[in-house]
Amino acid sequence: MRSARAAAVAAAFFALLFIWTAGGAHAAGPASSYTLPLTEAVAALPVAAEDRTGYDRETSFGGWIDADRDGCNTRAEVLLAEAVEPPTVTGRCKLTGGRWYSWYDDTYVTATDIDHAVPLAEAWDSGAKSWTKQRRVEYANYLGDDRHLVAVSQRSNRQKSDQDVSTWIVPANPSQRCRYLADQVAVKLSWGLSVDPAEEAAMRSIAAECPNAPITVNPAP
């Protein structure tokens, strides 16, 4: 296991090192995307104990924001992007009607929650506690990766709550569980978040039952 982890960490490290050396320390822009097989991506995650001390959802991460000032906040942007039957938009982005596919439980719904693939409390536990408030607000409202925020049924979102994969996994078919794991891993790697020992063990167990498909990691800016 240690050799696999070392190889995966090295692959991620050298991908970033190439960017650093190719453009120069001051000239390098945001880190480029890289791809790892699922098992190597899981092995690349740092393992650390979790700490929820001081966490408060609103004060720690803020609420939904309207980053582009078009009248629609992040929640509305996700609803509009993922609707299978678009809602009606009136006024300053008031949405009515609409229909969405909740892949967490393989059902169509007309009322949804917006789920953070890696919940805010879990992100706090896994490293976001040390971030600036601005960085945490950016995380809570990030639209740069479709895996980060997803419209799902209210039931599945509330069942999941702030749990990691050691205590909750999507109850649908195996391919959806593999997709859920891949999204969790990609988001954690993108934001430099860790996993605790129980979470790591669960990820390895689930990954062993999934195709070792490649995961593309898009480092958050």
Side-chain angles (χ1 to χ4, degrees):
M1 286 187 181
R2 290 185 179 180
S3 61
R5 176 176 295 283
V9 171
F13 171 76
F14 283 114
L16 297 177
L17 181 62
F18 174 79
I19 297 162
W20 179 270
T21 55
H26 297 289
S32 296
S33 300
Y34 60 93
T35 301
L36 293 172
L38 176 60
T39 55
E40 291 184 27
V42 171
L45 289 163
V47 181
E50 294 188 348
D51 179 13
R52 195 163 295 187
T53 304
Y55 172 74
D56 177 88
R57 182 184 177 93
E58 291 302 318
T59 58
S60 298
F61 287 88
W64 299 122
I65 63 172
D66 179 7
D68 59 7
R69 300 182 180 180
D70 67 349
C72 294
N73 65 17
T74 303
R75 183 180 190 280
E77 298 280 12
V78 176
L79 290 174
L80 290 169
E82 297 192 5
V84 294
E85 293 179 10
T88 300
V89 185
T90 56
R92 291 292 289 174
C93 206
K94 180 181 179 181
L95 308 184
T96 54
R99 190 166 175 253
W100 292 263
Y101 174 65
S102 172
W103 67 265
Y104 279 13
D105 42 6
D106 191 24
T107 189
Y108 288 89
V109 294
T110 56
T112 74
D113 282 348
I114 304 301
D115 182 53
H116 291 84
V118 175
L120 300 183
E122 172 62 22
W124 174 273
D125 297 348
S126 305
K129 178 181 180 180
S130 64
W131 297 350
T132 64
K133 174 65 176 294
Q134 179 180 348
R135 183 69 168 166
R136 291 194 293 268
V137 171
E138 290 170 353
Y139 177 88
N141 289 272
Y142 190 57
L143 293 171
D145 188 326
D146 290 344
R147 297 168 294 189
H148 189 79
L149 292 168
V150 59
V152 299
S153 69
Q154 294 175 339
R155 180 184 66 176
S156 64
N157 184 57
R158 293 167 196 188
Q159 286 175 343
K160 172 184 174 180
S161 185
D162 57 9
Q163 299 178 84
D164 65 31
V165 297
S166 68
T167 54
W168 193 88
I169 189 75
V170 291
N173 63 50
S175 67
Q176 288 165 311
R177 289 195 291 274
C178 294
R179 175 183 174 183
Y180 182 80
L181 173 64
D183 288 359
Q184 289 268 317
V185 174
V187 170
K188 286 215 163 187
L189 285 174
S190 295
W191 289 84
L193 297 171
S194 62
V195 292
D196 65 24
E199 186 180 2
E200 180 199 28
M203 285 182 167
R204 287 182 179 277
S205 177
I206 298 165
E209 299 178 356
C210 295
N212 198 24
I215 293 177
T216 298
V217 179
N218 305 312

